Amino acid sequence: MQSLETIWSTRLGKRVMRLGFGSELFSRLGEDITPALALQLYTDLTVAAHTWEPEYRITSMQLVNLTSAGALGLRHSGTYYPEGRFGIYDHPQSVEAAIPLMLLRSSEGASA
């Protein structure tokens, strides 16, 4: 699950040799959370995970913590395929994890 946290917390265009690596998560900062934005977050994170982590397929995702300071907690579950990077999906294993994504607006604004 560490790889998902890395994928989701990396801005697109920040990796020199892999400009497409990462997610659109940071482009959503500063917006009010609405059902439409939550759906877009789910879509962005799922597409990024499926693109960069072929061993894991997300089956469900839920926002579990949201603070006024901009912290976002996320619970997801899915299926892990130990040999998925080779295109072999024969031995699935169910996985559930919670990832705290700390997205503080004040620190993001200072670095931009």
Side-chain angles (χ1 to χ4, degrees), residues 16-84:
V16 175
M17 297 302 287
R18 288 191 173 181
L19 295 175
F21 181 85
S23 73
E24 292 282 347
L25 183 62
F26 288 100
S27 69
R28 311 274 181 230
L29 289 178
E31 297 182 40
D32 292 334
I33 295 290
T34 63
L37 181 62
L39 181 60
Q40 191 61 51
L41 284 171
Y42 294 151
T43 302
D44 292 343
L45 297 177
T46 302
V47 167
H50 288 196
T51 300
W52 294 104
E53 187 54 76
E55 296 177 351
Y56 187 68
R57 291 293 174 245
I58 294 174
T59 56
S60 70
M61 189 178 297
Q62 177 184 19
L63 292 174
V64 293
N65 184 25
L66 192 61
T67 69
S68 61
L72 174 68
L74 174 60
R75 179 181 304 130
H76 62 89
S77 59
T79 306
Y80 173 69
Y81 299 95
E83 298 177 349

